[in-house]
Amino acid sequence: MIFLDAAATTPVRREVLEAMWPYLTGEFGNPSSHHSLGDAAARALAGARSATAEALGCRPGEVIFTSGGTEADNLAVKGLALARRAADPRLDRVVISAVEHPAVEESARYLERVHGFAVDVVPVDCYGRVTGEALAAVLRPETAVVSIMYANNEVGTVQPVAMLAELARAQGIPFHTDAVQAAGWLPLDTAALGIDALSLSGHKLGAPKGNGALFVRSRTRLEPVIHGGGQERGRRSGTENVAGAVALATALTLARGSQHELAAPIAALRDDFIRMVLAGVPGAFLTGHPTERLPSVASFCFPGTSGESVLLELERQGVVCSSGSACAAGSDQPSPVLRAMGIDAEVAQTAVRFSFDSTITAAELREAAAAVRSAVGSVKSLGQAT
């Protein structure tokens, strides 16, 4: 099997499993307990927080551990917006892009539906990018928060986050970015990016599912969305997942250490794969930005086919990939991301996304490209026969 669905999840790295194992076995204490087992857990949690902060270029106190990227996005969008409006009732608007992950979009719609916020959606260009002009056009004195993802999970387009955050900062508006897909491939220095909040998910980095983190800049108001015992400095209640925090910190540290040496060669393999697919499949076209994209993602539309049929045929040939976001699996609706980029609904349903981690080889991608050519040809032939 050739696994080309790393944007959905990645296998757990051995180093990560070894780092977290003690906190799943002998060192099982609750970090809030005042005895030796609890103290050991608290030290491990503090170490994980410091390592995560180092990877993000921030202070340990600015890191909040969560159950994953979805919770981190919810806490950022809801927490920042509600806290800002509590301080100033006039701040009742939320800005998101047209290509956000459902965790961000649905958080904004919740604020609209339940709390009376207005949601301003920034359009994207045909590559899925937000321009400075487009963002500036929707910013208002009443804007409570801006949330624009760092890199898109379906097409891989990278947003000019630092420039967009500067526009928001000039008007005193907090800026959050969903960096779940960017982590491990793009710089995460929060100071250089100029952002106020950033979301991460461990299972995109070689950690198990069920752990994540949210960076929130010091002195930024944040309303909790989970209430209880006041853990994480009162910002996210619930007994901390010590093993998960250790796993996330380890995976993030490993990814940061290899990022510079791996990104360029993986991007070169990606570009070769794109060329082979486009050369071998008449009518196919790449979605997303041709150059400002993640090194690890290549997404195509294959007009005249069904994306789901192509997926099934590819899996039969030993290639595992997806038709887009794993969070939308099973939906019969065309991708909102592709529609926002101006792609026709019928064509959008022919999309297939290929995403890989740093272990991918040129030989595997050559084999996958040949399988794509064969699979698309088979699906088209079947369609013509019926």
Side-chain angles (χ1 to χ4, degrees), residues 289-345:
H289 199 281
T291 56
E292 298 300 319
R293 63 189 302 120
L294 288 171
S296 55
V297 175
S299 180
F300 305 89
C301 283
F302 300 114
T305 71
S306 157
E308 291 297 327
S309 297
V310 172
L311 287 180
L312 291 172
E313 180 60 22
L314 281 170
E315 186 166 7
R316 192 185 70 80
Q317 297 189 35
V319 176
V320 175
C321 51
S322 71
S323 57
S325 171
C327 297
S331 171
D332 59 358
Q333 297 300 311
S335 161
V337 170
L338 298 182
R339 297 292 288 128
M341 293 163 54
I343 295 174
D344 178 78

Side-chain angles (χ1 to χ4, degrees), residues 24 53 62 68 90 99 123 137 145 204 222 239 260 330 338 384:
L24 293 170
E62 296 174 319
R90 295 171 297 178
V99 295
V145 63
K204 312 292 187 175
L222 185 74
T239 301
H260 296 296
L338 298 182
Q384 291 169 356

Side-chain angles (χ1 to χ4, degrees), residues 63-252:
V63 173
I64 304 168
F65 287 117
T66 69
S67 64
T70 290
E71 186 193 334
D73 283 343
N74 273 256
L75 178 54
V77 176
K78 296 174 185 175
L80 292 170
L82 291 171
R84 291 261 288 162
R85 193 175 69 172
D88 184 347
R90 295 171 297 178
L91 301 176
D92 62 355
R93 305 190 77 88
V94 176
V95 171
I96 63 174
S97 84
V99 295
E100 292 303 310
H101 188 278
V104 166
E105 182 183 4
E106 292 304 316
S107 292
R109 295 303 176 190
Y110 164 83
L111 291 170
E112 178 182 52
R113 185 176 65 254
V114 177
H115 294 281
F117 280 78
V119 178
D120 296 314
V121 180
V122 190
V124 295
D125 63 18
C126 64
Y127 301 122
R129 288 197 109 199
V130 174
T131 66
E133 293 77 13
L135 177 58
V138 302
L139 293 180
R140 303 186 185 186
E142 300 83 15
T143 302
V145 63
V146 176
S147 182
I148 297 176
M149 68 188 346
Y150 197 169
N152 187 263
N153 53 304
E154 291 189 37
V155 300
T157 295
V158 176
Q159 302 291 352
V161 166
M163 180 269 287
L164 299 174
E166 186 176 1
L167 290 174
R169 187 169 60 251
Q171 298 191 36
I173 303 168
F175 188 100
H176 163 254
T177 191
D178 175 346
V180 166
Q181 292 294 336
W185 297 111
L186 302 176
L188 296 180
D189 188 314
T190 55
L193 291 172
I195 56 176
D196 300 286
L198 177 147
S199 302
L200 295 172
S201 179
H203 77 102
K204 312 292 187 175
L205 290 163
K209 301 165 188 67
N211 58 84
L214 176 67
F215 154 78
V216 178
R217 193 169 300 284
S218 295
R219 296 184 295 278
T220 301
R221 294 176 181 268
L222 185 74
E223 178 68 24
V225 298
I226 296 179
H227 304 94
Q231 289 88 346
E232 296 296 291
R233 297 190 176 187
R235 299 168 298 183
R236 195 275 186 183
S237 291
T239 301
E240 294 95 341
N241 177 359
V242 177
V246 170
L248 172 66
T250 303
L252 194 58

